[in-house]
Amino acid sequence: MPRTAKPGPAVSDPGHGWTFLSNYAHVLIVLAAQPDLRLRDVATRVGITERAVQRIVADLTAGSFISATRVGRCNSYTINLRARLRHPIEAQRTIADLVALGG
């Protein structure tokens, strides 16, 4: 019987300590795929602390890249897929383009 791998942080070469996408991008990609995920679980998948995810979500919310809707005791996140990326080099791209990388 095949074993299913648990989702978690994936680094192709952990010895180098860097990846091409930022933690902001990773949080967006995870929440786009699973909008009802607890921030604790987002932190585990991205490989950062829950507090770091909370700061990132606050920044993304303030920048109108995501919004949160309260569902019972949890939040469900909506990603603004039409928003443009912030850096001038990729300003012609949208959040939808970024999320497509995760998918």
Side-chain angles (χ1 to χ4, degrees):
M1 180 180 268
R3 292 178 21 200
T4 52
K6 290 184 180 181
V11 177
S12 60
D13 186 358
H16 283 89
W18 62 270
T19 64
F20 284 101
L21 298 179
S22 71
N23 289 336
Y24 281 75
H26 293 143
V27 169
L28 270 171
I29 289 167
V30 169
L31 287 176
Q34 291 185 278
D36 298 328
L37 203 59
R38 295 177 306 172
L39 295 186
R40 176 181 314 144
D41 298 323
V42 173
T44 300
R45 293 206 180 161
V46 174
I48 59 178
T49 66
E50 184 177 355
R51 183 67 188 125
V53 172
Q54 290 169 349
R55 283 192 300 270
I56 289 169
V57 166
D59 287 346
L60 292 172
T61 301
S64 299
F65 292 97
I66 66 173
S67 60
T69 303
R70 198 78 173 155
V71 179
R73 293 175 39 189
C74 301
N75 285 330
S76 180
Y77 297 91
T78 302
I79 311 300
N80 179 0
L81 297 173
R82 298 175 116 182
R84 297 258 176 219
L85 299 181
R86 294 179 56 167
H87 195 280
I89 291 173
E90 64 258 356
Q92 75 283 6
R93 299 292 187 174
T94 65
I95 296 298
D97 296 327
L98 175 67
V99 168
L101 292 173

